[in-house]
Amino acid sequence: MSAVLYPILRPAISSAGLYFFTTDSGIEYEVRFGRRQDNILHATIVFGVINDEFEGEEYVETNRGEVFRVMNTISEVVRIFMEEHPKMVCYEFTGIPKEGETEDKSSQRSLLYRRYLPQIFDDNWELRFNGNNAIVTRKHFKR
C-alpha cells in the first residue's frame, strides 16, 4: 500500500471490533464494527472523532486537511477486520449527514464511501448505494 497511514491501535481481542488512531493534529478517531443481532456475519461500520472538544458528536469528521489520510487509514482498518474475519458476508456503511446537509442529497461521507469502497472491496463483493447507505455483500453468498 502506498498511502501513508496513521498508526492503528487494534483491539486486544479481534472480535471486539473496535479500532483507534490519532491524526497528526491530535484528532482521535474510533472505527467500530457492530454485528447485527439477526446475522452476526453482517457488520455495520461506523467511525468518527472521539475527542471531548466535539461534545459527543460521535460520528463527526473534522476538516483539518487530513481527510485523505484519515480515509486511507479507515480503509486499512476495514481490510484488517476483513482479514481477521474472513467469513463475513456483508458490511454496511451509513453516511450520516452533517449539520446543514439534507437526507435527500448524498452526504459528504456518502461521497467518500463511493470513492473508497471500490478500493477496499474487490470483484468478489457487490457494492450497492442507496441514498446515504452503502451495502457491500459477498457475491457468492446466498441466503
Side-chain angles (χ1 to χ4, degrees):
M1 165 165 287
S2 61
V4 179
L5 306 173
Y6 294 110
I8 298 166
L9 178 61
R10 297 178 185 209
I13 302 169
S14 67
S15 61
L18 185 58
Y19 300 76
F20 299 94
F21 63 92
T22 303
T23 67
D24 292 339
S25 67
I27 300 297
E28 298 172 13
Y29 279 85
E30 168 186 274
V31 183
R32 180 181 301 266
F33 295 79
R35 303 286 186 102
R36 298 271 299 259
Q37 283 187 327
D38 62 340
N39 182 357
I40 63 167
L41 299 179
H42 180 148
T44 300
I45 303 169
V46 293
F47 64 90
V49 172
I50 58 174
N51 295 59
D52 288 339
E53 69 185 278
F54 297 100
E55 300 175 1
E57 284 296 320
E58 142 178 51
Y59 304 121
V60 72
E61 183 178 3
T62 66
N63 186 10
R64 296 195 178 167
E66 301 170 321
V67 69
F68 297 113
R69 193 167 171 195
V70 164
M71 289 305 297
N72 284 329
T73 304
I74 291 168
S75 298
E76 183 62 17
V77 168
V78 173
R79 287 185 197 96
I80 291 167
F81 186 88
M82 290 172 62
E83 184 176 299
E84 293 175 349
H85 302 86
K87 303 287 187 197
M88 296 298 293
V89 296
C90 187
Y91 293 96
E92 185 173 346
F93 302 80
T94 300
I96 299 169
K98 293 178 4 182
E99 189 174 321
E101 292 181 331
T102 61
E103 290 284 336
D104 60 335
K105 186 177 177 192
S106 292
S107 69
Q108 273 187 298
R109 190 167 287 195
S110 293
L111 296 174
L112 285 171
Y113 291 156
R114 286 184 183 275
R115 177 179 178 168
Y116 281 88
L117 292 182
Q119 296 174 28
I120 299 170
F121 296 94
D122 63 21
D123 292 340
N124 294 311
W125 297 86
E126 177 185 356
L127 280 67
R128 287 181 288 130
F129 296 94
N130 183 11
N132 285 318
N133 291 329
I135 306 280
V136 183
T137 309
R138 189 181 301 272
K139 286 182 178 177
H140 72 273
F141 175 73
K142 301 284 185 221
R143 250 188 174 209

